[in-house]
Amino acid sequence: MTGRVLVVGSLNIDLVAAVRVHPRPGETVLSTGLRRFPGGKGANQAVAAAAAGAAVRLVGCVGADPDGAAYLDGLAARGVDVTGVRRVADAPTGTALVTVDPQGESAIVVVPGANASLAPGDVDLRDADVVLLQLEVPLPVVEETVRRAAAAGARVVLNVAPYAELPPAVLDLADPVVANEHEAAALARPPRSLVTTLGPLGARWRHGGGSIEVTAPVVEAVDTTGAGDAFAGTLAAALAAGADRHAALERAVAAGSAAVTRPGAQGWRLP
């Protein structure tokens, strides 16, 4: 069974600098190399969901610039329907400034650019089994989309990253909310369905009165950028295809672990 996943989220160009150590406040460090990768949580998760076998449609915004055009071509080549991505004339494609140390740990600053132009009217919920969202786009769009999707009978997977406060009533419409340990700790109260990613330890899904835990395989990390997105996209694809919670969590943990073994968030590069 192939599930249908609608991803509403960001598209960024990731400028990734390799560093020996991450700079501290006021400190300058030299990079050992700079690369350009496609990124943005929305697009990262869309590519992961497509790689996991889902029929994926992406809603978002890019600039009317060469980076935006090249990015959309690359996504389409990887099986993502980008007809819902709007090109914005008065803003550049979003950018993320990423430093990665020898242990594969990353630090990221996001410049939203065209992502900030996303509006509720851009979101067409037709033919979606699962609607997957993150928080790199305007929060009013996220809140309205969650409510509309739940009312339409679609399953909502809501990744609260980068963390921002949302109404508990919105969080409770998701099954599940996906958060790392820091994001989960910041929630005012646990939502009814919460997946907490635990880095190299795996992930936990608490729902109702139950709890599921899956341990991650041991891998050698090269770059942790996008690991959480690979997890979320694969989880959404598995749920859309009809997998139960345990099987979906297993597939998501495996995908997140594999993602840290390669550079970049999506496994391909931009010129």
Side-chain angles (χ1 to χ4, degrees):
M1 175 181 175
T2 297
R4 299 167 299 180
V5 176
L6 172 66
V7 182
V8 180
S10 57
L11 300 90
N12 294 325
I13 305 300
D14 288 355
L15 303 180
V16 182
V19 295
R20 292 186 175 87
V21 294
H22 293 290
R24 295 172 295 184
E27 182 181 24
T28 299
V29 300
L30 294 178
S31 170
T32 57
L34 179 69
R35 293 172 291 181
R36 284 165 39 93
F37 292 102
K41 287 186 171 297
N44 293 347
Q45 293 180 10
V47 169
V56 180
R57 187 159 49 90
L58 175 61
V59 170
C61 293
V62 294
D65 49 31
D67 278 340
Y71 199 168
L72 295 184
D73 287 345
L75 290 173
R78 283 154 184 82
V80 177
D81 180 345
V82 294
T83 56
V85 178
R86 179 163 57 90
R87 302 199 62 185
V88 178
D90 58 354
T93 298
T95 303
L97 310 175
V98 185
T99 57
V100 179
D101 69 14
Q103 287 72 49
E105 291 296 332
S106 59
I108 305 171
V109 176
V110 174
V111 184
N115 294 305
S117 300
L118 188 66
D122 292 319
V123 183
D124 179 357
L125 292 172
R126 60 182 168 82
D127 300 329
D129 299 310
V130 170
V131 178
L132 173 60
L133 307 99
Q134 330 73 33
L135 307 186
E136 282 185 346
V137 294
L139 295 185
V141 178
V142 173
E143 292 181 26
E144 180 170 332
T145 301
V146 169
R147 291 190 174 99
R148 286 174 53 208
R155 185 173 197 155
V156 175
V157 177
L158 177 57
N159 181 203
V160 288
Y163 182 77
E165 288 191 20
L166 291 172
V170 170
L171 297 175
D172 282 340
L173 293 173
D175 184 19
V177 170
V178 179
N180 64 26
E181 292 178 279
H182 301 293
E183 294 153 357
L187 294 169
R189 66 168 176 80
R192 67 182 181 92
S193 178
L194 174 64
V195 167
T196 305
T197 57
L198 307 172
L201 300 181
R204 178 191 307 116
W205 192 336
R206 289 180 174 164
H207 56 92
S211 181
I212 303 166
E213 293 198 27
V214 171
T215 302
V218 177
V219 298
E220 183 175 349
V222 171
D223 181 359
T224 59
T225 307
D229 296 331
F231 177 99
T234 303
L235 182 72
L239 293 172
D244 62 24
R245 287 185 172 96
H246 190 270
L249 196 61
E250 285 186 325
R251 294 175 199 172
V253 167
S257 298
V260 305
T261 65
R262 63 172 187 258
Q266 297 179 22
W268 60 288
R269 292 178 62 172
L270 287 161

